[in-house]
Amino acid sequence: MFSKYLADPEINRLCGQESFIRQMLTFEIALATAQGQLGIIPSADATIIAKTLSDLTITPESLAEGTRQNGVPTIPLLALVRAALPESARDYLHVGATSQDVVDTAQVLIISDVIGVLSARIHQLLSQLANLKTRYGDVAMMGRTRTQQAQPIVFGQKITDWSSPLVRHQERLDQLKTRLLVVQLGGAVGNLAAYGDQGKDVAMALATELKLSYSVPWHTQRDSFAEFTNWLALLTGTLGKLGQDVLIMGQTEVGEVVENVNGGGKSSSMPHKNNPVLSEALVMLARQNAQFAAIQLQSLVHGNERDATAWMLEWENLPRMMSNAGTALQHALSITQTLGVNAEAMNTNLKR
């Protein structure tokens, strides 16, 4: 019902269960390929594993009961994969890895795809804000502080307040990606002991196969995920400020902007209304992501070498926050494309 208003279908598809399963299989393909290259498993069996898993379809329903029983989807997934493999290759699947390696790396691969979508939308939004500033940036209006009329400004100042943080968010994302888009491979307790002195070589080869950066195991180090969710909260917060400004400036008694000059939200009982429904959603999504970011910070309290109570906090939280950010960007793009600017009302309010 709210699939386009309070959620983002494209981001939800990238974060969905089918996508997550595919990324877990991608991990296993890359791991076998890397191990085949290093002689840890026979190269012929690595090829068989890669081909079989590339052609394999596993449904979320087929993993549901096994996940409930084991608390992680990797175990039922591996059981189905082994059943699909020739008997000679089964022992060479998932060698030296642990469930968390699969789940964490799959999550990173999903985040990488989502970041590409969000970054493109930020770039587009900055372009639309620049166009808006070119058209209306010099229009004089009354600046307001603490809800009261203060001193004159130009509308371009508001647009700058909307756009400047977005530029910084892009810079933050570029810096964050080097810490976030990294492989996870640690084995049972995060020390790669199963590979002897080849542990780092396997992890580096795996990273290369997945087009990720190499990292030492980070099973209990959740700071990069927390940094990313803080970034998502910053992004939606900036867009929430845009929405809040449009709500205030668009009030009937102020009348300086209209969210959608082509016709916005309707009322079931008041047909004259043009409700700023997208701006309202921007404010809500900003507030919600601020709360969700706090949940992610709690995953930093990660006991010993693996703590499922901390780890599980991320499984629903990360996809929801990414969807919220994507939704907010889509709404901001719609608002800045259809925003009606009433220069006459700005001038009238300036003279009061």
Side-chain angles (χ1 to χ4, degrees), residues 23-31 97 101-102 105 184-185 206:
Q23 298 293 16
M24 287 195 292
L25 293 173
T26 297
F27 172 92
E28 296 294 349
I29 291 169
L31 180 65
D101 295 331
V102 185
T105 303
Q184 171 77 287
L185 183 66
L206 176 62

Side-chain angles (χ1 to χ4, degrees), residues 202-266:
V202 177
M204 292 183 71
L206 176 62
T208 299
E209 286 295 317
L210 295 172
K211 297 182 173 57
L212 298 174
S213 297
Y214 162 76
S215 172
V216 298
W218 45 276
H219 286 168
T220 63
Q221 303 166 32
R222 315 310 288 184
D223 53 294
S224 291
F225 276 6
E227 187 178 9
F228 175 57
T229 52
N230 281 349
W231 180 86
L232 291 169
L234 287 171
L235 174 61
T236 50
T238 293
L239 300 174
K241 188 273 191 291
L242 186 159
Q244 188 70 64
D245 282 351
V246 172
L247 289 176
I248 295 171
M249 295 172 68
Q251 290 180 170
T252 305
E253 295 81 0
V254 179
E256 294 176 344
V257 299
V258 177
E259 182 188 85
N260 187 345
V261 293
N262 301 318
K266 305 300 181 185

Side-chain angles (χ1 to χ4, degrees), residues 10 27 81 98 105 114-115 122 131 166 262 327 334 346 349:
E10 182 177 7
F27 172 92
V81 171
T98 194
T105 303
V114 170
I115 282 175
I122 292 172
N131 291 337
L166 294 174
N262 301 318
T327 305
S334 295
M346 289 181 178
N349 292 335

Side-chain angles (χ1 to χ4, degrees), residues 126-205:
L126 283 168
S127 178
Q128 290 185 190
L129 287 169
N131 291 337
L132 199 62
K133 189 171 184 178
T134 298
R135 295 176 63 191
Y136 301 108
D138 294 332
V139 176
M141 63 176 295
M142 178 56 71
R144 300 173 178 88
T145 61
R146 302 176 69 178
T147 75
Q148 304 297 301
Q149 290 192 347
Q151 293 183 352
I153 62 171
V154 292
F155 185 46
Q157 180 176 329
K158 281 194 176 291
I159 298 172
T160 297
D161 287 340
W162 300 339
S163 60
S164 292
L166 294 174
V167 175
R168 293 193 291 272
H169 295 333
Q170 285 186 311
E171 293 169 354
R172 291 183 179 105
L173 184 59
D174 288 339
Q175 296 162 3
L176 170 60
K177 284 193 290 188
T178 62
R179 297 184 289 274
L180 178 64
L181 302 184
V182 297
V183 74
Q184 171 77 287
L185 183 66
V189 290
N191 61 1
L192 292 169
Y195 300 120
D197 59 3
Q198 288 185 287
K200 183 176 180 180
D201 293 336
V202 177
M204 292 183 71

